[in-house]
Amino acid sequence: MRWIVLLMIGLSGYAQAAPLPDCTLTSLDGGESRQLREIQQGKVLYVDFWASWCTSCAHAFKFLNDLESDLQDRGFAVIGVNLDENRTDAENFLERFPPRFTVLADAEAQCAKDFGVQGMPASYLIDRTGEVRYRHLGFRSGDADELRRAIEKLVAEPSPDG
């Protein structure tokens, strides 16, 4: 499946809370499967759908690396979800832009469909209870402050288990 990049600058904001889709992702080599809900487990999760041909995705990786480093001790994690049809394309991209966060694959793009991904990168911010609270399409350097504020807000919310 080839994705068409949609120029929808500014399509971001707080979404009406919706439950985290129950989708399965795999390691890039296809060896290990993981449920997204199991990964979330009380964390604030930033799910970022990306592909190797997406230039904005490359720009977002530095921001995502910084987020993971700065906030992981506060119950925050970044999951990069690759949508490339060819694993080698994804691996080459990751060599050029090494992530310090977890990268998984959505080979059949079912998770992307469940989230309603319309372009790339597409990011979704999930709160500690497993609700999708924020979505953002695209990435420009000016987006970083807005995204960080939304993340900081959710990270500051109390954990549902006390």
Side-chain angles (χ1 to χ4, degrees):
M1 171 191 303
R2 275 287 166 214
W3 290 88
I4 298 171
V5 178
L6 302 175
L7 295 176
M8 299 171 92
I9 305 303
L11 176 61
S12 65
Y14 290 90
Q16 184 172 4
L20 176 64
D22 187 21
C23 51
T24 303
L25 301 168
T26 61
S27 57
L28 280 181
D29 65 8
E32 179 187 358
S33 293
R34 298 183 67 192
Q35 291 294 119
L36 194 53
R37 286 188 184 168
E38 290 174 10
I39 296 168
Q40 188 269 327
Q41 291 292 325
K43 295 178 194 152
V44 173
L45 196 63
Y46 187 96
V47 179
D48 184 70
F49 290 89
W50 65 277
S52 62
W53 48 263
C54 169
T55 56
S56 294
C57 297
H59 298 303
F61 264 51
K62 180 186 180 333
F63 171 69
L64 298 177
N65 280 335
D66 290 346
L67 283 176
E68 179 81 3
S69 295
D70 294 349
L71 300 172
Q72 65 184 345
D73 292 341
R74 294 175 57 197
F76 174 79
V78 174
I79 303 295
V81 181
N82 179 259
L83 294 170
D84 279 303
E85 292 176 3
N86 182 335
R87 183 176 88 199
T88 303
D89 292 342
E91 290 168 345
N92 290 339
F93 178 94
L94 295 173
E95 283 180 23
R96 290 191 324 267
F97 308 101
R100 293 191 308 261
F101 51 88
T102 301
V103 172
L104 298 169
D106 185 17
E108 302 300 318
Q110 186 57 53
C111 196
K113 290 174 192 163
D114 293 346
F115 271 90
V117 172
Q118 298 176 343
M120 291 214 229
S123 303
Y124 300 84
L125 188 55
I126 292 82
D127 69 15
R128 294 182 194 279
T129 67
E131 295 289 317
V132 178
R133 298 264 301 270
Y134 189 86
R135 64 184 166 85
H136 187 84
L137 183 59
F139 186 83
R140 297 179 299 167
S141 59
D143 295 340
D145 290 339
E146 174 189 349
L147 290 167
R148 187 173 274 274
R149 277 192 302 275
I151 293 163
E152 291 277 354
K153 179 180 176 184
L154 289 186
V155 169
E157 290 180 357
S159 179
D161 58 359

